[in-house]
Amino acid sequence: MVGSDGTALGYAVAGSGNRTAVGEEHAALAITEAVVRALDSAGVPREAPRLLAVALAGASGAGPGWLTGPLTENGVGGRVAIEADLVAGYLSGTLAEVGYAVVSGTGAIAARVRHRQIEAVADGLGWLLGDDGSGFQIGLAGVRAAAAELDGRGPATAVTAGVLAELDIPASAAAEEPDDRRRPRLLAALLQRVYAERPVTLARCARVVSEATTAGDPVARGIVEAAAAGLARTLLAVLDLEDPGPIVLGGSVLAHQPLVADALRTALPEGAELTTVPDGAVGSAVLALAHAGFPVDAERWGRIHSTLGALR
Amino acid sequence: MVGSDGTALGYAVAGSGNRTAVGEEHAALAITEAVVRALDSAGVPREAPRLLAVALAGASGAGPGWLTGPLTENGVGGRVAIEADLVAGYLSGTLAEVGYAVVSGTGAIAARVRHRQIEAVADGLGWLLGDDGSGFQIGLAGVRAAAAELDGRGPATAVTAGVLAELDIPASAAAEEPDDRRRPRLLAALLQRVYAERPVTLARCARVVSEATTAGDPVARGIVEAAAAGLARTLLAVLDLEDPGPIVLGGSVLAHQPLVADALRTALPEGAELTTVPDGAVGSAVLALAHAGFPVDAERWGRIHSTLGALR
């Protein structure tokens, strides 16, 4: 939470606020918890806020009705403004009137932003139909590469050991005999584990691929380069060469796996101005202040950044 | 059904007998229906059969107990022998003691067969973890290519119109305005349709990719060539160069989409002996006769082929 001059007073993180992923009820409770903890940590009365900017994926057209119950029950005041997480991410990286946001987390999406609105969007089509270059696609490719090695169809790769560890499959399984379908035990264990969970959970194996790339593994490098090429295609679909603008990178993959961001940089036109943001907290504050009648200039924006940084 | 000299007397097709796909109860009913209709069409009493060879995917270790109820209730006689569909497919194409089977239908798998048993197997790991070169992977790649074109991220391809038609999305949707997330309506309709069904149903779009390849579409050709390369890797994982043997190709993709089989042929060592079979019916008859004490030689095998062909 921020004061009217942009000074960050409180900061909190709670569970997933993604309605598609966890359902409306859980999302509303998680958002309420984050708001309450941020207010409490700032020592600000719960009824004090003038405006709550809630930045969400796929937010367009959604009213705030599903959120008001939990907020009211917890005594939180203030009008709720629903905004796109892409815009909040963008405004965390720049105040430019026109520019671009590329997010790769579990999913992947790119947008052209103009006057704090999404003007064009590409991908964000979900794990089956799109999300090129996302954590899910990187993790899935890593898991498939591990399966191919164990199955004798693919090259040896450092990704395999990492995937087995990430999925809690003990290496001791390798010492046992092949099972009755003549499969290596490790492959049988991987098969069982992967199909027991929701596909989207494989996104957590993206980190394994990144680490193997750092260690020089060529299979991992191929996966990372394909992901970066996919993200570049997605960005180019919304890039207006007459309005170049800054490019803000966000999401867990682009924020924490620098090799993906590096590969993306090499796939873009020379001179592209890239900034990476850890999340959309600064941009959410920008949106909240703007809605409350305190437009954010460079000075206020700098103050949000520096004071929020001290709270994290 | 066949007589002891290999003469085919009856033939019938019923619904899916895949327990994983449709459940044990439905599979047992479908198999019973096929048996009953084959016997009835031959004018053979239902209690007459000496042996029923049931060729199934992933059959290893499964007893016939789940099948005996429906068969008995329908008055069908004979001992039940469960066999692998891979072996039945193999024996539909050759009687060689050692050789290979490659199946690409909804899934994909390859096996080395020795003395009518599976000696080694590769892939068959399902739609998420493997099935390289399967109808599902080809169909999924086609649907993703269509989404990429509609999203402005991918090249124009004949696959797009085919996928929209296959998924019953009317072209008239294109004439409407973009929706509030600035997505083309056709893409929004595709998104809704794809996530409403089980992923594996996308396998039906494989045919669309094949047809576009025939028409010279380069995106489709790329998908088909990647699929064939995947199937070649799977086969090479079980191929013993000291025991080359014939290679029998089966499954809906390899049986009905000759371009995939052609691309696979070019990816294999020169001189490989390839045969394509429409299904495992001949091989099931071979297995039934062998179990009943009538070993199948080249003469009987030829008789099964010619007399079954007349019944289809």
Side-chain angles (χ1 to χ4, degrees), chain A residues 60 109 118-119 121-130 132 137 140 143-144 147 151-153 180-183 187 191 194-195 199 202 233-234 237, chain B residues 60 109 118-119 121-130 132 137 140 143-144 147 151-153 180-183 187 191 194-195 199 202 233-234 237:
Chain A
S60 75
I109 193 166
I118 294 176
E119 187 174 67
V121 68
D123 208 344
L125 295 175
W127 62 277
L128 197 56
L129 203 51
D132 276 10
Q137 293 293 345
L140 175 65
V143 172
R144 292 180 67 93
D151 198 26
R153 289 179 291 116
D180 65 339
R181 291 194 64 204
R182 292 155 205 83
R183 290 244 184 259
L187 182 55
L191 192 69
V194 165
Y195 287 104
L202 297 181
R233 275 193 302 273
T234 301
Chain B
S60 75
I109 193 166
I118 294 176
E119 188 175 67
V121 68
D123 208 344
L125 296 176
W127 62 276
L128 197 57
L129 204 51
D132 277 11
Q137 294 293 345
L140 176 65
V143 172
R144 290 180 69 92
D151 198 25
R153 290 179 291 116
D180 67 337
R181 290 195 65 205
R182 292 155 204 83
R183 289 242 185 262
L187 183 55
L191 193 69
V194 164
Y195 288 104
L202 297 181
R233 276 193 300 274
T234 301

Side-chain angles (χ1 to χ4, degrees), chain B residues 18-292:
Chain B
N18 187 316
R19 284 177 295 168
T20 311
V22 301
E24 203 157 82
E25 197 182 339
H26 283 279
L29 289 172
I31 292 166
T32 301
E33 185 191 338
V35 169
V36 165
R37 286 173 46 203
L39 287 166
D40 291 356
S41 73
V44 171
R46 293 190 185 177
E47 67 279 11
R50 240 161 105 163
L51 198 123
L52 305 173
V54 180
L56 296 171
S60 75
W66 57 285
L67 260 173
T68 46
L71 287 170
T72 308
E73 285 157 27
N74 284 276
V76 178
R79 184 163 63 83
V80 174
I82 304 284
E83 290 277 358
D85 61 344
L86 276 167
V87 174
Y90 176 79
L91 292 170
S92 296
T94 181
L95 283 179
E97 281 295 297
V98 179
Y100 302 88
V102 183
V103 174
S104 173
T106 299
I109 193 166
R112 182 166 69 242
V113 178
R114 187 183 300 271
H115 305 313
R116 302 184 182 178
Q117 299 283 329
I118 294 176
E119 188 175 67
V121 68
D123 208 344
L125 296 176
W127 62 276
L128 197 57
L129 204 51
D131 282 356
D132 277 11
S134 65
F136 171 73
Q137 294 293 345
I138 296 171
L140 176 65
V143 172
R144 290 180 69 92
E149 179 189 350
L150 294 171
D151 198 25
R153 290 179 291 116
T157 164
V159 170
T160 303
V163 162
L164 293 173
E166 183 68 39
L167 298 180
D168 299 320
I169 297 169
S172 60
E176 300 172 36
E177 289 298 295
D179 73 4
D180 67 337
R181 290 195 65 205
R182 292 155 204 83
R183 289 242 185 262
R185 286 272 179 196
L186 277 178
L187 183 55
L190 179 63
L191 193 69
Q192 193 175 18
R193 187 64 50 94
V194 164
Y195 288 104
E197 301 188 30
R198 290 189 310 142
V200 80
T201 62
L202 297 181
R204 63 190 165 121
C205 292
R207 192 185 47 74
V208 166
V209 177
S210 267
E211 286 169 5
T213 306
T214 311
D217 185 83
V219 170
R221 170 155 294 281
I223 295 171
V224 163
E225 282 171 0
L231 290 172
R233 276 193 300 274
T234 301
L235 172 58
L236 292 173
V238 293
L239 198 66
D240 181 346
L241 291 174
E242 306 203 344
D243 262 332
I247 298 163
V248 180
L249 310 183
S252 57
V253 170
L254 288 170
H256 303 306
Q257 296 172 22
L259 287 171
V260 179
D262 288 351
L264 174 58
R265 188 185 304 269
T266 66
L268 291 178
E270 214 164 320
E273 181 196 333
L274 270 68
T275 313
T276 303
V277 296
D279 56 36
V282 168
S284 299
V286 171
L287 291 163
L289 288 172
H291 277 291

Side-chain angles (χ1 to χ4, degrees), chain A residues 190-245:
Chain A
L190 179 62
L191 192 69
Q192 192 175 20
R193 187 64 50 94
V194 165
Y195 287 104
E197 301 189 29
R198 291 189 310 142
V200 80
T201 62
L202 297 181
R204 65 191 165 120
C205 291
R207 191 184 48 75
V208 166
V209 176
S210 266
E211 286 169 6
T213 306
T214 310
D217 185 83
V219 170
R221 170 154 295 280
I223 294 171
V224 163
E225 281 171 0
L231 290 172
R233 275 193 302 273
T234 301
L235 172 58
L236 292 174
V238 294
L239 198 66
D240 182 344
L241 291 174
E242 307 204 344
D243 263 331

